[in-house]
Amino acid sequence: MSVTVIIHEATRTGAPRIGGLVARELGRRESVDAIVMKDGPLEEWIVECAEGAPVKFFREDEFFWRVPFEARLNAAKAALMESDSDVVYVNSLAASVFVFAAKALGRKVVLHVHEKAADMMNLLRHDIVKMDAVNLADGVILAAEEQAADIAEVFKTDTGGFRNFGIAVDFDAVRTAALEPSKPALNAREEDFVRRDRLVIGMCGHASLRKGVDTFYSTAKALPECDFLWVGGWGPEETADNAIFDAFVEDKLPNLYVTGSVANPYPYLAAFDMFFLSSREDPNPVVLAEAMTLGVPLLCFSATTGVTDRLGRSGILCYGSPNVEDAARVIRTFTPEKARSPEFKGLADTFLSAFDLREKMVMVNEMIAELRQPSVT
């Protein structure tokens, strides 16, 4: 018996990193292989996570949403037939074509849902997910407990048996990776980022409207006395949805630095004085827990994510959607000395135990064991 882990892309932090970590932890107990539907800068990291287990990477266009669903389904079935796994762990609704492929091959399916309602609707509109995907799964795991209401609303299904995974982090791996060398982050003037006696406000993700790149950019423009650092894809060759790239080139803000796509974001995160989650919608922002692991305080907004209860107790939580006025107001209350004080940097210490990956995997292993039990008729 073995498990195939499906990861929808290798292009950013968040859900793909959870998929890689799940594959690694499952591999400590049984045979595992992984399929990654879209290649990207996390390829090397995912291979390292697999610790010698087979990993198959598809190129970007093979599961592109414009490819007819039937063709994507056939490709998924062909990929699964290369493995004799009895359980398929589908990490994200964006990979749900593998739910249908696995069921067609008579295999058990665990579906790990990371999306909120707006993401679910967008995936449905683009025929990336089908209405019966959730019901087909033999077990469903939620990235945040609040997602149950979204699934019930969008997919019209009972969510009573779903289990909550929450945010999970490998603390030691994050802290070790943060010590590795990194390439320079540059502003539009081609000047290197250097941590100085100025607040460093950071964000991590592919530059897009969903990630609030416009809000982040405007906040940097409003606060020239602070440095802003964006970690992740930025230029048009990396992301097609960076609506402020032209303004970035024209304005040449001296205090906004970008890394571009990187496989290891943690050395940059460790340089933040504050993580500003500018996203309009980010249901399970694993990177926030990773930032807290590195002692970086958080600035978030309640309309962004499904984990506001914890964020309200372990960071700065503003009501509503991310906006420049409130973000700038909060940031202006801090000096570098205050932001770098042990008291402020240790704000989340008491909550880190709730993010322990190995504790989460106990539940995952139990679910897989239950699915393997013979059916009682």
Side-chain angles (χ1 to χ4, degrees):
M1 294 187 291
S2 65
V3 178
T4 297
V5 177
I6 312 298
I7 302 171
H8 71 286
E9 60 182 2
T11 57
R12 60 187 181 189
T13 59
R17 285 193 178 270
I18 290 295
L21 293 173
V22 165
R24 188 193 68 190
E25 295 302 314
L26 286 174
R28 302 192 191 286
R29 297 171 58 96
E30 57 187 301
S31 177
V32 169
D33 65 292
I35 296 172
V36 184
M37 297 169 61
K38 180 180 177 182
D39 57 340
L42 287 184
E43 284 189 36
E44 184 178 344
W45 180 85
I46 291 172
V47 170
E48 289 175 0
C49 267
E51 297 182 341
V55 182
K56 179 179 179 64
F57 290 94
F58 282 89
R59 301 305 106 188
E60 180 174 359
D61 59 343
E62 295 181 77
F63 282 99
F64 187 54
W65 64 272
R66 291 188 186 278
V67 175
F69 186 84
E70 194 66 29
R72 284 179 272 140
L73 176 60
N74 290 334
K77 286 193 287 189
L80 287 178
M81 289 174 67
E82 296 178 11
S83 165
D84 61 356
S85 59
D86 62 314
V87 175
V88 179
Y89 191 103
V90 179
N91 186 62
S92 173
L93 281 170
S96 61
V97 65
F98 276 87
V99 173
F100 294 86
K103 298 308 294 181
L105 297 175
R107 303 185 191 183
K108 298 289 187 178
V109 177
V110 175
L111 176 61
H112 193 152
V113 179
H114 294 266
E115 296 81 358
K116 287 189 71 179
D119 296 309
M120 296 172 190
M121 294 302 297
N122 188 51
L123 293 174
L124 283 167
R125 281 194 296 270
H126 288 87
D127 203 28
I128 295 172
V129 66
K130 301 284 191 182
M131 279 296 295
D132 48 349
V134 176
N135 281 327
L136 272 179
D138 299 286
V140 176
I141 293 174
L142 305 178
E145 192 171 2
E146 292 86 347
Q147 290 174 288
D150 290 344
I151 294 174
E153 174 188 347
V154 174
F155 293 98
K156 314 302 181 188
T157 187
D158 176 27
T159 61
F162 294 0
R163 304 189 196 185
N164 180 37
F165 188 88
I167 295 175
V169 176
D170 185 333
F171 303 142
D172 292 340
V174 169
R175 289 166 180 154
T176 299
L179 301 175
E180 294 179 1
S182 57
K183 68 177 185 178
L186 302 173
N187 63 18
R189 305 178 184 192
E190 298 294 313
E191 298 166 339
D192 291 359
F193 166 76
V194 178
R195 198 167 190 254
R196 300 171 287 171
D197 189 26
R198 291 159 57 91
L199 279 175
V200 180
I201 311 301
M203 171 61 180
C204 186
H206 262 46
S208 64
L209 292 175
R210 178 177 177 272
K211 290 291 184 180
V213 66
D214 51 335
T215 302
F216 190 85
Y217 182 82
S218 297
T219 307
K221 198 169 184 178
L223 296 172
E225 67 273 22
C226 302
D227 287 330
F228 286 73
L229 177 55
W230 186 282
V231 181
W234 185 265
E237 71 282 359
E238 295 177 324
T239 173
D241 194 25
N242 185 353
I244 56 83
F245 183 76
D246 290 343
F248 171 75
V249 172
E250 291 176 12
D251 293 344
K252 289 185 167 50
L253 298 183
N255 67 327
L256 175 59
Y257 300 84
V258 301
T259 67
S261 294
V262 292
N264 180 8
Y266 304 117
Y268 305 102
L269 266 64
F272 293 179
D273 290 316
M274 188 180 296
F275 190 109
F276 171 25
L277 185 66
S278 58
S279 301
R280 287 175 166 81
E281 184 158 311
D282 218 335
N284 187 44
V286 177
V287 69
L288 295 187
E290 293 171 335
M292 285 190 279
T293 299
L294 297 172
V296 179
L298 312 176
L299 168 59
C300 307
F301 285 76
S302 63
T304 292
T305 175
V307 289
T308 53
D309 58 339
R310 183 170 292 124
L311 293 177
R313 291 174 286 160
S314 57
I316 302 169
L317 182 67
C318 297
Y319 180 76
S321 299
N323 64 86
V324 176
E325 293 75 16
D326 286 333
R329 174 178 54 81
V330 169
I331 293 168
R332 285 193 183 105
T333 66
F334 287 88
T335 63
E337 293 76 20
K338 181 178 179 180
R340 296 170 190 176
S341 68
E343 295 78 14
F344 192 57
K345 289 177 69 65
L347 187 62
D349 285 353
T350 57
F351 295 96
L352 285 178
S353 61
F355 305 139
D356 191 336
L357 173 66
R358 289 176 176 82
E359 290 296 319
K360 311 284 186 179
M361 289 305 299
V362 172
M363 177 266 293
V364 174
N365 286 313
E366 288 175 351
M367 174 179 277
I368 290 174
E370 290 170 8
L371 294 184
R372 285 172 168 158
Q373 294 297 317
S375 300
V376 178
T377 56

